[in-house]
Amino acid sequence: MTDGVSRASVRIPTLEHLWIPTLDGRSAAIGLAMYSPCRPVIVGAQRMLWGATRALGPAVLPGRRGEWTDPVDTDAWRHMTADWRQEFGRWDSIALYRRPQTTRSGCALVLIREGKSLGFVRVTTSATRARHEFDVMLGVHSASPETFRIARPLAWGSEGAWGWLATESVPSYPLAAVRNSRDRDPVVREIGAILESSLPRPDDVPPHWVGSHGDLSPWNLRLQRRRVVRVIDWEDAAFAPPGSDAVYAAATAAATFSLPFAVEGVEQEAVDWVRSVVEARRSPVESAHSVNNRVLALLDASPCWTPRTAE
């Protein structure tokens, strides 16, 4: 332990970017719940392992045992954790996820005390990005949305090259991904309406663009009990062509679950915007069957939009 915090962890095969604490069964289960699979069979397996871990302890988890190291430089880590203690008090273990994407560095972590989640923290390489996400989440949470839930943002800060955002605890049990348009479409519409009124509009934004979450994929649209949708990851919220969120959400769901892809009433500008976003997020080493590449193939093969009408 360092400063009373256990660093003992296990990394499950195929989940090498997730350090699950092994201090006790409940803490390990919280760490396991950080993984956000989409396919129902994998979610089902995760839930069974989650239940076994809570009941029998972390020994049931397969994988490589060891200790996590500071995910950022040691001085910055020491100063950031001091700030978090001001917000949450002390914790005895951490569940740590290091983002594997080459285009998105940083980490996410859950602070745990005595088998209970104290709060969630995301660390990024941009203080500006952390402040932006905090402001967006504060506006959305204050709007008291009807069709979805969002974690209450608590604080943000920076240390050197790093920025961080802290929120209240998120559900610490495995959540399913939103699969169908019945659950998704009302959320997309309400998010657009809230962001339209809460986001500051830069002068260079086209007047017809609307508020957009920017990443409404199945891994960011999670389904809680009683079909309550929880929306996460607001760092890409900005203005975009009308229909962009609908196209991106439908395309990523179709690529993830092998569903038909169709979006009505959107214009080519929205499709082009989604294509540019996916291409920017795509890694050069991704396989041809990656979700990003499948989304691009769907956009190219499915003429489900209409040209923008000249004004």
Side-chain angles (χ1 to χ4, degrees):
M1 288 194 178
T2 302
D3 296 330
V5 178
S6 172
R7 294 186 174 221
S9 61
V10 58
R11 297 164 70 186
I12 296 178
T14 73
L15 296 180
E16 290 294 305
H17 298 284
L18 177 60
W19 280 254
I20 299 174
T22 55
L23 188 62
D24 56 70
R26 288 181 177 272
S27 298
I30 291 172
L32 183 61
M34 287 187 74
Y35 175 47
S36 299
C38 293
R39 296 188 177 276
V41 64
I42 303 179
V43 175
Q46 180 192 22
R47 287 175 172 173
M48 287 191 291
L49 185 58
W50 180 85
T53 301
R54 279 176 58 93
L56 303 176
V60 303
L61 293 173
R64 183 170 39 163
R65 262 68 180 173
E67 293 190 349
W68 54 268
T69 58
D70 294 347
V72 304
D73 63 90
T74 299
D75 285 342
W77 181 253
R78 185 175 66 253
H79 285 97
M80 286 192 292
T81 53
D83 290 338
W84 303 341
R85 288 191 184 95
Q86 293 286 329
E87 188 68 42
F88 297 108
R90 293 201 165 266
W91 54 87
D92 53 38
S93 60
I94 286 175
L96 173 66
Y97 176 80
R98 285 175 166 151
R99 301 177 87 170
Q101 302 96 327
T102 57
T103 57
R104 294 189 171 201
S105 59
C107 64
L109 47 108
V110 178
L111 307 176
I112 304 167
R113 182 172 62 221
E114 298 178 355
K116 295 183 179 180
S117 173
L118 299 179
F120 175 85
V121 180
R122 188 210 300 276
V123 179
T124 74
T125 54
S126 170
T128 301
R129 209 165 171 83
R131 174 61 188 269
H132 170 72
E133 186 170 13
F134 175 84
D135 290 342
V136 170
M137 292 183 68
L138 188 62
V140 174
H141 188 272
S142 299
S144 300
E146 297 180 359
T147 62
F148 64 93
R149 298 291 180 270
I150 175 178
R152 179 168 58 93
L154 300 175
W156 77 278
S158 62
E159 183 60 41
W162 301 94
W164 57 267
L165 164 73
T167 75
E168 66 182 354
S169 295
V170 296
S172 54
Y173 59 87
L175 302 180
V178 171
R179 177 186 174 95
N180 59 61
S181 59
R182 178 189 63 183
D183 294 315
R184 182 179 66 240
D185 289 352
V187 173
V188 172
R189 288 192 294 268
E190 187 173 16
I191 286 176
I194 292 174
L195 293 179
E196 180 71 16
S197 60
S198 62
L199 278 176
R201 181 182 287 271
D203 294 336
D204 59 347
V205 168
H208 68 283
W209 281 24
V210 297
S212 167
H213 176 279
D215 196 4
L216 287 180
S217 53
W219 45 93
N220 287 332
L221 289 169
R222 311 304 294 184
L223 202 58
Q224 297 179 210
R225 297 183 178 105
R226 299 180 182 176
R227 307 200 72 81
V228 174
V229 176
R230 178 168 288 269
V231 182
I232 61 177
D233 197 352
W234 294 83
E235 63 181 324
D236 293 307
F239 285 92
S244 298
D245 272 350
V247 172
Y248 187 84
T252 52
T256 301
F257 300 114
S258 300
L259 298 172
F261 172 51
V263 181
E264 297 180 356
V266 299
E267 301 173 348
Q268 186 66 44
E269 184 184 28
V271 179
D272 292 342
W273 184 89
V274 171
R275 183 181 286 107
S276 68
V277 168
V278 175
E279 288 175 344
R281 292 173 180 170
R282 181 176 57 165
S283 167
V285 298
E286 286 186 23
S287 73
H289 300 292
S290 71
V291 172
N292 283 331
N293 283 321
R294 293 202 301 272
V295 167
L296 292 175
L298 287 170
L299 295 177
D300 291 337
S302 302
C304 56
W305 43 87
T306 57
R308 187 169 189 274
T309 303
E311 295 180 357

